[in-house]
């Protein structure tokens, strides 16, 4: 999703002499991503309000974003599609938290399956952001560390009888594992196509 507003603001700051021409691109980049964060934050609030699950939507996103950053997975071709995909993920997660009868066995079963997939596949690179061998190791280690921390938080929440928080984290694990599988399949399809051409 291209936000032209960031370019206009950077241009205005440059014309006003607040920033230099050399720094314009850096400010435009920062403004662009800042605006995207605000849009995503507002979208999270709106979806949370629609489901009457505002705090659950924030818990989900707080757990999802850092792990997704290092674990990788499927990425859409454009930022707008990525935005739409994030909406679908949030809707599906909140629907699952609300509608699935989260018994201990279901929660543990889904979590174990999802965690196994995350551990096995992470990190899943994207063709637009390929990883070298060092990055694969670093990203994989960071993903596992974040995963471990989130599992501990989830277990603590269960002990403290805060099941809804635990369900949000479990839903995040499931959502991420699906994104990793989709990303892995996409990469394999690309590899087969390249191999076929050669």
């Amino acid at each position: 999703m291209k936000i032209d507003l960031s370019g206009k603001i950077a241009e205005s700051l440059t014309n006003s002499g607040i920033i230099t021409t050399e720094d314009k691109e850096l400010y435009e980049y920062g403004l662009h991503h800042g605006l995207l964060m605000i849009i995503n934050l507002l979208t999270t609030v709106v979806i949370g309000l629609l489901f009457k699950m505002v705090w659950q939507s924030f818990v989900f996103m707080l757990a999802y974003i850092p792990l997704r950053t290092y674990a990788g997975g499927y990425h859409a071709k454009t930022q707008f599609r990525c935005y739409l995909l994030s909406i679908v993920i949030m809707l599906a997660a909140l629907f699952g938290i609300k509608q699935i009868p989260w018994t201990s066995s279901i929660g543990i079963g889904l979590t174990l399956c999802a965690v196994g997939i995350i551990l096995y596949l992470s990190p899943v690179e994207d063709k637009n952001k390929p990883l070298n061998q060092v990055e694969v190791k670093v990203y994989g280690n960071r993903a596992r560390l974040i995963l471990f921390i989130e599992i501990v938080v989830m277990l603590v929440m269960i002990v403290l009888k805060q099941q809804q928080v635990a369900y949000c984290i479990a839903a995040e694990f499931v959502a991420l594992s699906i994104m990793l599988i989709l990303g892995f399949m996409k990469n394999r399809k690309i590899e087969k196509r390249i191999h076929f051409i050669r």
Side-chain angles (χ1 to χ4, degrees):
M1 172 172 34
K2 180 157 178 57
I3 298 177
D4 293 320
L5 183 60
S6 56
K8 289 176 182 175
I9 294 170
E11 184 72 35
S12 177
L13 291 171
T14 306
N15 294 337
S16 303
I18 297 170
I19 61 172
T20 63
T21 307
E22 291 79 22
D23 291 337
K24 181 188 167 191
E25 195 174 311
L26 179 66
Y27 276 85
E28 188 174 344
Y29 177 84
L31 287 165
H32 177 75
H33 285 276
L35 288 169
L36 282 177
M37 283 180 66
I38 291 168
I39 289 169
N40 286 329
L41 184 65
L42 290 173
T43 303
T44 300
V45 171
V46 169
I47 293 172
L49 286 169
L50 288 172
F51 276 80
K52 296 180 180 175
M53 299 172 73
V54 175
W55 72 263
Q56 290 94 332
S57 65
F58 276 103
V59 170
F60 176 85
M61 291 306 290
L62 283 172
Y64 182 79
I65 291 171
L67 191 52
R68 166 86 153 132
T69 300
Y70 292 106
Y74 179 83
H75 286 275
K77 290 181 180 178
T78 65
Q79 284 189 330
F80 183 67
R81 287 183 186 177
C82 181
Y83 173 69
L84 292 178
L85 182 61
S86 67
I87 290 174
V88 170
I89 291 167
M90 175 68 77
L91 290 171
L94 294 182
F95 182 80
I97 293 165
K98 200 168 192 176
Q99 299 298 326
I100 294 173
W102 288 86
T103 61
S104 297
S105 56
I106 289 173
I108 292 169
L110 286 173
T111 301
L112 286 175
C113 287
V115 166
I117 291 166
I118 295 167
L119 286 172
Y120 182 72
L121 292 179
S122 294
V124 174
E125 65 181 350
D126 184 69
K127 70 171 185 175
N128 295 323
K129 192 185 175 185
L131 303 174
N132 60 39
Q133 287 184 338
V134 174
E135 288 172 327
V136 167
K137 188 174 182 180
V138 170
Y139 275 57
N141 287 339
R142 288 180 183 173
R144 283 186 281 276
L145 175 62
I146 294 167
L147 179 64
F148 174 74
I149 292 168
E150 290 186 0
I151 290 170
V152 170
V153 171
M154 182 182 175
L155 293 173
V156 169
M157 291 299 106
I158 291 170
V159 170
L160 295 176
K161 309 283 186 196
Q162 298 296 318
Q163 266 73 12
Q164 275 287 314
V165 178
Y167 299 159
C168 292
I169 298 171
E172 174 254 331
F173 291 152
V174 173
L176 182 61
S177 67
I178 292 168
M179 296 304 289
L180 290 175
I181 291 169
L182 291 174
F184 178 77
M185 289 170 64
K186 178 184 174 185
N187 290 344
R188 290 298 295 268
K189 189 176 179 181
I190 291 169
E191 286 171 13
K192 282 181 181 178
R193 193 180 302 152
I194 291 169
H195 181 71
F196 179 76
I197 292 170
R198 287 178 182 170

